[in-house]
Amino acid sequence: MTEINEHTEHTNGSTNGSENGHQESIVDKTNPHPEILQYPRLRRGPFFYSSRKHGVAQYSVYNHSYHPRHYGDPFAEYEALLNNVTLWDVGAAERQVEITGPDAFDFTNLLIPRDLHKCNVGQCKYTFITAEDGGIINDPVLLRLDENHFWLSLADSDVLLWARALATAYGYDVEVTEPDVGPVQVQGPKSKDVMVDLFGESVLDIPYYYLDYAELDGMEVVISRTGYTSELGFEIYLKNASRDGDRFWETVWEAGKPYDMSVIGPCHIRRIEGGILSWGCDIRLDTNPFEVNYGYEWMVDLDQEADFMGRAALERIKSQGVGRKLVGVEIGGPKMGAFNDSSMIDYYDVLDQGSKIGYVSSACYSPRIEKNIGYAMVPIDYIEYGTALEIKTPTGVHPATVVQRPFVDPNKEIPKASLRTV
């Protein structure tokens, strides 16, 4: 992509002539890979210094914190995730909002459009947090630790401030805090072997989207059968993380060595293959749940008795219908990158006969499918499978086709599998 720099240089004998004989040129000084400033203003998670030892190649800023994005080769990390076991530092990025107190159940139920009466103690739920107009503020995994004790394991937005403001405004008797908890993700087919070595055979009995408590060499943790991969995997939430972070990281890393464990960043190739959303890219405050498409309507329970933020707006939107939806697309042209390698720094325009009708929010090359794949937000008239589109990428305008999303394992049979038999 070419960007015209305001601070042009004037040289003789270059490209642009003028009537008075002076030659001028606009020098493009775009640096395709500028560094991110590392300084104390950005938060460092409990595993920040441990994960750096594995050679972080690129950070982004997520929830005001350093977030390791990859360690040199995202495609090699994709293969490690599919074949072995991987360890991710999400200790700072995946912050927790903790809700406790006598009104914690009712208040948490107010925040989300799912019905918490259908969430048992010890269960986890993927959920949206919606604003008064139905827009998506965040899409955390909710962990119900006790009757009136919840964690919201966040995507990248300021839910702590939103929750505190609502609790104060509506007079709920709750405490809304950010606990000293740091999660890591242990993902991949050999993750269960590492977890058995760390915690024993009982870890195999944790159902998909449930949690359990455990202790590891005196360190308190919560284990959940969740993850950001659509692969077999776990998240381990370390309590007292600022104190025990380094020791915990080294313990997990040592347990993983016999199974060829790799330290990687979030694998966006597998994330896109699996149809997983990225808040800030695919969904934002200006996106409502009914625009997400492909079954996400069940994330809004309008049959429940309780009120929740955005209910009236979402009832109206569902009644009137939406004008656009997020669809899966296969995209022609040269191989794209891995998404988390700076290969997609902006949305791609979706075109119909040269006119912009939408945008691509996530895209990558899938080695398994051997195609470029992605998500596109398009008008409702363009959502049917097989619809032909054109997409403008940095390498030119390429043909694209609307296809099913998720692209791989649409029923999530891989992550749901019984750990005793897999």
Side-chain angles (χ1 to χ4, degrees):
M1 297 178 70
T2 301
E3 180 178 300
I4 298 176
N5 195 322
E6 291 183 351
H7 304 288
T8 58
E9 289 188 353
H10 300 275
T11 60
N12 292 325
S14 188
T15 54
N16 295 338
S18 62
E19 291 184 354
N20 60 12
H22 291 290
Q23 299 291 322
E24 297 180 346
S25 67
I26 299 173
V27 178
D28 185 349
K29 294 185 176 180
T30 301
N31 178 356
H33 300 290
E35 292 184 351
I36 183 174
L37 174 62
Q38 298 179 55
Y39 67 147
R41 187 170 181 274
L42 295 180
R43 302 201 311 183
R44 294 155 305 285
F47 317 116
F48 176 76
Y49 291 105
S50 293
S51 60
R52 282 173 70 88
K53 294 176 182 176
H54 296 267
V56 177
Q58 192 170 52
Y59 286 107
S60 71
V61 178
Y62 199 99
N63 276 328
H64 311 287
S65 305
Y66 293 102
H67 186 16
R69 286 299 180 168
H70 69 83
Y71 293 76
D73 186 348
F75 284 95
E77 295 180 7
Y78 167 80
E79 296 295 335
L81 172 64
L82 262 55
N83 297 302
N84 294 314
V85 57
T86 60
L87 174 63
W88 310 11
D89 172 8
V90 289
E94 199 178 302
R95 303 299 299 183
Q96 311 304 304
V97 166
E98 183 172 66
I99 302 170
T100 57
D103 294 339
F105 179 89
D106 291 335
F107 176 67
T108 307
N109 208 28
L110 175 78
L111 294 178
I112 65 172
R114 298 193 69 171
D115 185 354
L116 266 187
H117 292 89
K118 301 175 182 177
C119 180
N120 299 320
V121 172
Q123 195 170 4
C124 310
K125 293 286 186 183
Y126 175 60
T127 185
F128 293 137
I129 294 175
T130 44
E132 73 286 351
D133 64 355
I136 300 172
I137 293 175
N138 203 287
D139 63 331
V141 171
L142 177 151
L143 296 86
R144 189 173 185 189
L145 300 159
D146 208 336
E147 291 291 340
N148 276 305
H149 189 183
F150 298 88
W151 284 347
L152 301 173
S153 192
L154 298 176
D156 186 16
S157 66
D158 289 318
V159 172
L160 179 67
L161 301 178
W162 168 255
R164 281 189 172 182
L166 287 181
T168 301
Y170 288 96
Y172 281 88
D173 186 3
V174 293
E175 284 191 51
V176 182
T177 60
E178 186 179 84
D180 185 13
V181 171
V184 298
Q185 299 212 9
V186 180
Q187 302 282 312
K190 296 180 182 176
S191 61
K192 64 183 181 62
D193 302 306
V194 177
M195 295 297 285
V196 167
D197 285 358
L198 285 168
F199 299 105
E201 289 277 334
S202 62
V203 77
L204 300 178
D205 298 323
I206 302 175
Y208 187 55
Y209 266 78
Y210 274 79
L211 63 86
D212 200 0
Y213 296 88
E215 188 174 293
L216 181 64
D217 296 338
M219 298 177 282
E220 294 181 73
V221 301
V222 173
I223 302 167
S224 65
R225 267 286 300 279
T226 55
Y228 196 62
T229 64
S230 298
E231 290 292 323
L232 210 63
F234 301 81
E235 293 179 270
I236 312 173
Y237 296 80
L238 174 67
K239 298 183 179 180
N240 304 306
S242 57
R243 182 192 69 192
D244 295 336
D246 290 337
R247 186 163 69 94
F248 172 79
W249 179 276
E250 290 304 318
T251 302
V252 177
W253 173 242
E254 287 298 323
K257 284 182 177 178
Y259 304 99
D260 296 324
M261 175 178 271
S262 300
V263 176
I264 72 169
C267 182
H268 282 268
I269 304 171
R270 189 64 186 94
R271 189 269 293 181
I272 295 169
E273 287 180 346
I276 297 175
L277 302 171
S278 171
W279 195 94
C281 292
D282 311 313
I283 53 174
R284 305 176 304 207
L285 188 56
D286 66 358
T287 312
N288 70 66
F290 297 115
E291 294 174 323
V292 179
N293 206 7
Y294 294 133
Y296 280 89
E297 288 84 355
W298 57 263
M299 299 271 283
V300 178
D301 191 340
L302 295 174
D303 294 328
Q304 64 178 302
E305 293 183 6
D307 196 9
F308 59 85
M309 292 302 300
R311 176 168 187 147
L314 290 169
E315 287 176 336
R316 184 184 69 252
I317 293 168
K318 184 175 183 180
S319 173
Q320 295 175 348
V322 296
R324 61 177 191 168
K325 284 193 174 184
L326 193 69
V327 298
V329 287
E330 293 178 351
I331 308 168
K335 291 180 181 178
M336 294 180 170
F339 186 77
N340 58 323
D341 54 0
S342 298
S343 58
M344 185 177 181
I345 65 172
D346 202 349
Y347 296 129
Y348 300 154
D349 290 347
V350 178
L351 310 174
D352 181 13
Q353 299 183 21
S355 296
K356 180 178 177 180
I357 59 167
Y359 61 88
V360 173
S361 55
S362 293
C364 70
Y365 177 74
S366 166
R368 171 161 41 187
I369 302 173
E370 298 183 333
K371 292 180 179 177
N372 297 320
I373 58 173
Y375 308 158
M377 185 68 82
V378 296
I380 201 74
D381 292 339
Y382 295 81
I383 68 170
E384 294 299 323
Y385 295 160
T387 301
L389 303 169
E390 291 183 320
I391 293 176
K392 185 179 181 181
T393 78
T395 62
V397 176
H398 302 295
T401 305
V402 175
V403 297
Q404 183 186 28
R405 189 189 97 229
F407 300 87
V408 175
D409 188 24
N411 295 318
K412 305 291 184 189
E413 299 298 334
I414 297 172
K416 290 179 181 176
S418 167
L419 297 178
R420 292 283 183 181
T421 58
V422 67

